[in-house]
């Protein structure tokens, strides 16, 4: 039976965003919705099994050992946050699950500072339950570990650094645990950490991440689309004062982002993260942006994290070499390369209620139009308002 093993079995950026939300927007509320991009068909009873697993999450609590690890790892976060996290518990009543035939619906609603932690573990539970209930047999542990080792041997030759970003669409906890164990024990310095805080603690490696699209989506709802990136990054820097300095660039397309990523922010942040669209085109735009501000691109870093495999990583690394710093966050190609079809599912914020005002729909305008999320009317309005051309 799929289950979570720790409150920290989640992506690092969920906790860093939660801390920022508590400090700046403690009364904001949010709604999230499951999106079945891959049109997967769920077996009978799946919704009930998912409900059981989510109900069990209410019993998860931060242990004293976990609290000590997290606080020691993140000295830039106030100790009051770790006290809060020690008292935090998931409230399953915030999650509505419905199944009609083979179709699954999941909706989440509550205070943003609470509901922000649901997305990643629910997606990982959906994946694990799907493979359990459909009876699909994966490669055995020796094969999975061998696949990881062979990939790492090839990555070592590129002289790059990589991290695991594969929690949300992993095959299972057991596979994820095996992958991190294998990566940690690989005889090179290529592997530098994981987005999963629980596994970072278990394997004495670094938890990696900063923020996600929902941070900027909320800012757009509260302050408007033209201020979303600017104020999102200003507020981030107000909270973290220079730490966690990788800026996510594609919530409202890269072109719009760079218009708002002014010289102050370009100097303050260590780099940017690429998560959609052509990676080489993105690298070219990023290099040009830094050069136009008199900033040496080699002093900055791009974190590439969009559906990576070896072929894509090799192409990107060869292009970026000697031009700009680069590193890679690899997701399902590590945690769900087990001889089975991979799931294509997401769970996104759909609406937010800031401290004042009313429920406001939120959207994402990816550099890849097929990855837009939100109401079509709102997407069309934002495209026109932001004067985004050729992005229908």
């Amino acid at each position: 039976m799929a289950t979570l093993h720790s409150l920290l079995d989640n992506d690092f950026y969920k906790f860093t965003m939660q801390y920022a939300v508590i400090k700046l927007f403690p009364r904001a509320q949010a709604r999230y919705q499951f999106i079945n991009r891959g049109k997967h068909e769920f077996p009978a009873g799946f919704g009930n099994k998912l409900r059981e697993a989510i109900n069990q999450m209410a019993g998860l609590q931060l242990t004293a050992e976990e609290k000590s690890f997290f606080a020691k790892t993140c000295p830039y976060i106030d100790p009051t946050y770790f006290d809060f996290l020690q008292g935090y518990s998931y409230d399953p009543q915030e999650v509505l699950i419905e199944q009609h035939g083979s179709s699954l619906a999941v909706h989440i609603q509550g205070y943003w500072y609470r509901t922000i932690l649901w997305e990643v573990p629910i997606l990982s539970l959906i994946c694990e339950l799907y493979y359990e209930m459909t009876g699909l047999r994966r490669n055995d542990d020796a094969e999975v570990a061998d696949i990881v080792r062979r990939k790492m041997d090839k990555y070592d030759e590129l002289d790059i650094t990589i991290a695991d970003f594969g929690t949300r669409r992993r095959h299972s906890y057991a596979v994820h645990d095996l992958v991190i164990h294998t990566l940690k024990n690989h005889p090179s310095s290529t592997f530098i950490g994981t987005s999963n805080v629980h596994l970072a603690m278990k394997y004495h490696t670094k938890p990696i991440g900063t923020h996600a699209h929902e941070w900027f989506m909320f800012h757009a709802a509260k302050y408007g689309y033209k201020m979303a990136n600017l104020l999102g990054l200003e507020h981030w820097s107000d909270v973290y004062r220079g730490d966690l300095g990788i800026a996510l660039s594609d919530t409202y397309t890269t072109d719009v982002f760079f218009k708002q990523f002014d010289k102050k922010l370009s100097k303050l942040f260590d780099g940017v993260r690429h998560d959609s669209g052509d990676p080489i085109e993105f690298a070219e735009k990023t290099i040009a942006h830094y050069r136009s501000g008199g900033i040496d691109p080699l002093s900055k870093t791009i974190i590439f994290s969009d559906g990576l495999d070896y072929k894509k990583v090799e192409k990107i690394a060869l292009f970026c070499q000697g031009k700009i710093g680069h590193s890679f966050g690899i997701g399902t190609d590590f945690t769900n390369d087990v001889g089975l079809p991979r799931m294509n599912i997401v769970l996104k914020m759909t609406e937010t209620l800031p401290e004042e005002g009313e429920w406001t729909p939120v959207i994402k305008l990816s550099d890849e139009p097929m990855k837009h999320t939100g109401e079509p009317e709102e997407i069309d309005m934002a495209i026109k308002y932001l004067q985004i051309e050729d992005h229908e």
Side-chain angles (χ1 to χ4, degrees):
M1 172 69 183
T3 185
L4 255 69
H5 294 71
S6 165
L7 188 72
L8 296 186
D9 188 4
N10 205 329
D11 277 345
F12 182 56
Y13 67 33
K14 285 294 180 175
F15 298 107
T16 57
M17 286 193 298
Q18 183 183 53
Y19 172 60
V21 171
I22 289 170
K23 287 182 76 75
L24 300 180
F25 309 111
R27 290 182 174 84
Q29 297 184 55
R31 290 173 177 158
Y32 298 79
Q33 181 177 328
F34 172 68
I35 302 171
N36 184 4
R37 282 181 178 163
K39 296 181 169 47
H40 307 283
E41 296 186 357
F42 294 92
F46 187 91
N48 293 333
K49 289 290 187 182
L50 180 61
R51 168 52 64 191
E52 288 178 28
I54 286 174
N55 287 346
Q56 288 182 5
M57 289 173 62
L60 294 172
Q61 285 189 305
L62 191 74
T63 68
E65 184 184 9
E66 288 172 331
K67 180 182 179 183
S68 176
F69 163 80
F70 211 169
K72 200 173 294 182
T73 303
C74 306
Y76 43 80
I77 294 180
D78 295 340
T80 51
Y81 172 69
F82 301 109
D83 287 341
F84 158 81
L85 199 60
Q86 195 169 29
Y88 175 91
S89 61
Y90 284 106
D91 180 0
Q93 293 185 7
E94 294 168 345
V95 183
L96 173 66
I97 301 168
E98 295 178 324
Q99 182 174 358
H100 301 286
S102 61
S103 178
L104 180 71
V106 181
H107 297 270
I108 301 165
Q109 179 175 326
Y111 282 108
W112 190 23
Y113 77 86
R114 292 190 47 80
T115 56
I116 200 167
L117 292 189
W118 279 115
E119 175 193 349
V120 174
I122 287 180
L123 288 173
S124 67
L125 285 171
I126 289 173
C127 285
E128 186 159 358
L129 275 171
Y130 178 81
Y131 292 116
E132 280 183 9
M133 294 184 69
T134 53
L136 298 171
R137 294 180 62 83
R138 67 171 174 90
N139 295 337
D140 63 30
D141 285 0
E143 290 175 297
V144 172
D146 188 55
I147 289 169
V148 173
R149 282 191 290 267
R150 283 189 275 113
K151 287 178 182 176
M152 287 302 296
D153 287 341
K154 293 170 72 176
Y155 285 132
D156 288 345
E157 296 175 2
L158 298 178
D159 191 26
I160 58 172
T161 56
I162 60 172
D164 154 58
F165 280 12
T167 302
R168 69 189 59 225
R169 286 182 288 269
R170 65 192 183 192
H171 171 274
S172 58
Y173 174 82
V175 166
H176 198 180
D177 183 75
L178 174 61
V179 166
I180 301 303
H181 178 270
T182 306
L183 289 170
K184 178 65 177 177
N185 286 283
H186 191 76
S188 75
S189 57
T190 302
F191 173 67
I192 58 171
T194 172
S195 63
N196 188 290
V197 184
H198 162 66
L199 292 173
M201 175 180 168
K202 182 175 180 178
Y203 290 104
H204 307 287
T205 190
K206 183 180 179 181
I208 291 178
T210 52
H211 47 241
H213 295 107
E214 68 183 283
W215 181 252
F216 300 97
M217 292 159 74
F218 172 83
H219 279 76
K222 185 171 175 64
Y223 302 107
Y225 292 110
K226 289 191 175 180
M227 298 300 291
N229 288 311
L230 178 64
L231 288 178
L233 294 177
E234 287 278 9
H235 286 150
W236 193 258
S237 65
D238 288 343
V239 172
Y240 286 106
R241 313 300 298 173
D243 284 303
L244 302 181
I246 297 294
L248 182 58
S249 59
D250 71 331
T251 310
Y252 300 110
T253 75
T254 293
D255 289 339
V256 169
F257 172 83
F258 280 132
K259 289 177 184 176
Q260 300 172 359
F261 195 49
D262 63 16
K263 190 166 185 176
K264 170 190 166 183
L265 294 172
S266 296
K267 285 194 167 187
L268 175 61
F269 280 79
D270 300 321
V272 294
R273 179 159 74 90
H274 169 265
D275 198 48
S276 66
D278 185 277
I280 303 301
E281 185 179 324
F282 177 82
E284 290 173 334
K285 289 180 179 180
T286 305
I287 292 166
H289 173 80
Y290 283 128
R291 284 177 177 164
S292 69
I295 300 168
D296 180 4
L298 286 170
S299 70
K300 301 295 181 179
T301 299
I302 301 175
I303 307 295
F304 294 92
S305 62
D306 180 30
L308 297 178
D309 56 23
Y310 176 78
K311 188 175 179 181
K312 291 180 183 177
V313 170
E314 181 186 36
K315 181 180 178 182
I316 295 166
L318 290 174
F319 177 82
C320 290
Q321 190 172 19
K323 299 185 183 84
I324 191 167
H326 49 284
S327 188
F328 301 87
I330 298 175
T332 51
D333 198 52
F334 271 148
T335 61
N336 206 347
D337 189 2
V338 296
L340 298 174
R342 301 172 188 179
M343 297 197 78
N344 185 5
I345 56 176
V346 293
L347 206 163
K348 293 293 184 183
M349 180 190 280
T350 56
E351 294 178 88
T352 185
L353 176 62
E355 283 101 326
E356 70 291 324
E358 55 195 24
W359 281 102
T360 303
V362 297
I363 63 168
K364 178 168 77 87
L365 300 179
S366 166
D367 283 337
E368 171 50 61
M370 293 296 290
K371 293 174 75 173
H372 291 346
T373 62
E375 297 178 1
E377 300 83 3
E378 189 73 16
I379 289 173
D380 291 342
M381 186 274 290
I383 287 173
K384 291 175 183 175
Y385 184 66
L386 291 170
Q387 298 178 315
I388 301 172
E389 298 177 0
D390 302 321
H391 209 69
E392 297 300 325

